[in-house]
Amino acid sequence: MRADAQKNYDRLLTVARDVVSEQGADASLRDVARRADVGLGTLYRHFPTREALIEALLRADVDELTAKAADLEVSSTPEDALLTWLRGCVALNHEYRGVSALFTAALEDTGSALHDSCVALHDIGARLLDRAHATGVARPTVDGTDLFALVAALAWLYDQPSLAPRADHLFDVIATAILPTHQHTGFPE
Amino acid sequence: MRADAQKNYDRLLTVARDVVSEQGADASLRDVARRADVGLGTLYRHFPTREALIEALLRADVDELTAKAADLEVSSTPEDALLTWLRGCVALNHEYRGVSALFTAALEDTGSALHDSCVALHDIGARLLDRAHATGVARPTVDGTDLFALVAALAWLYDQPSLAPRADHLFDVIATAILPTHQHTGFPE
DNA sequence: ACCTGAACACCGTTCAAGT
DNA sequence: ACCTGAACACCGTTCAAGT
C-alpha cells in the first residue's frame, strides 16, 4: 500500500471509531469521510461496504478476547472461565450500538472480514462450554452456537435504553439457563 | 373525522401493512404514501411519526393476545398458560421485522400509542407469572418486566437470518430459564 | 495507484398553497 | 378541515476526471 493510501486508511479507521461510537452501526459514512478530510470515493475504495468498515473496527478486539479466553482454559474453573468468556462476548457485541446483528451474521458469512476471528472466538467458547459440560455444570442442550446467539441477544438488550438498567440482571437469568447451578455472576442486582 | 380523511386513514393502514411486511420497521414512508395514492403530508397528518404508524398497525393484535391470555388464566395450568403467553408475545414482537425495539420502548413510554395496550399485556403476563410463582414452577428472580424483555430478545433472534433455524431451540433454552422444571415447549428441535 | 467530488437516485420532514 | 406536492437538507453509491 502506498504511503498516502496507508495514511488515509488509518485516519478513516480512527475517525470511524468516533463516529460509530456516537451514531452506532448505521452511522453516516459521508460524515466519516468528511471528518477524516478524505473524499467519499476514498472511503469506498478502502471499505467497499459499511460492514467492511465496522468489521475492521472490531477485528482486533475480537482477537484479543480469543487470546484471553485461551488463558482462562487453564487458569479458571470451567464455570468461571465460561462466565468470563460470556461477559467478554457481551461487551464485544455491545462495543458499538447495533453491531450484534453484524457479529451474528459474520459467524456464518465466509465473506465477512470478521468471519475468521468470529469462528476462532466461537471455537474457544465451545471448548470452554465442553469443559463445563464434562464437569456437569452446563446444560447439555446448549451448544457453542447457542452461546453466540444468546450473547448477541443480550447485547441487543443492553442497547435498548429502557432495558439497560435491567440488563445485568437479565445476563444472570440467561447465564442460569446455561449454567443451572450457578447463582450470581457478580453483577450488582 | 371527515369521510375523506377516514378513507385516507384506512387506506394508509392497509398499504402500510404490506409495505412494513416487506421492508420491516424502517420501511420507506414515501413508498407507503405513494402506494396509497395519498400526498406525503397526508401520511404525516395521520401519523406524525413512523412509530405512530407502526403502533397503529400492531395495536389490535396486542389487545387480541391480552384477551386470549385472560382466558388462559382459568383454562390452563400455570405452566402451560405462561408458555402460551410467551409464544404469543414472541409472535407479536416478530410480526414485522425490527418492531421488538418499539415494543420494548412502548412499555415505558407513556406517549406511545401502544403504551396502554402494552401495559395491559404486561400485566396479564405478570399475573400468569405470579400464578406460576405460587405453584413453584417459575424462577422467583424473574419478574413480569423480565418476561417482556426476554420475549423481545427472542423476537430479535428470530429476525436474524442466520439464527432463525435455531430460534425455536433458543426459545426452549430461555423458557427453561423462566420455568426450570420445564423440558420442552412443543416446538420441533 | 490512488484520490476527488459531482451526479444520481433515493430518503424524512416541513409548510405554503390550494379545496 | 383536510389534502397536495414542491422544497430543503440529508443520505448511499458510482464513476469520470484528475494526479
Side-chain angles (χ1 to χ4, degrees), chain B residues 51-56 59 63 102 106 109-118:
Chain B
E51 283 70 32
L53 174 61
I54 297 181
E55 283 158 0
R59 188 164 185 170
D63 294 339
L102 199 144
D109 174 14
T110 50
S112 160
L114 224 52
H115 177 71
D116 293 348
S117 295
C118 272

Side-chain angles (χ1 to χ4, degrees), chain B residues 64-122:
Chain B
E64 195 186 324
L65 180 58
T66 302
K68 217 170 68 181
D71 286 349
L72 288 171
E73 204 176 0
V74 296
S75 68
S76 297
T77 66
E79 181 166 344
D80 286 345
L82 188 55
L83 281 170
T84 304
W85 183 89
L86 284 169
R87 270 189 232 108
C89 279
V90 173
L92 221 49
N93 276 267
H94 185 56
E95 192 167 343
Y96 304 100
R97 241 176 315 129
V99 295
S100 41
L102 199 144
F103 268 107
T104 299
L107 188 61
E108 290 215 332
D109 174 14
T110 50
S112 160
L114 224 52
H115 177 71
D116 293 348
S117 295
C118 272
V119 169
L121 181 58
H122 167 278

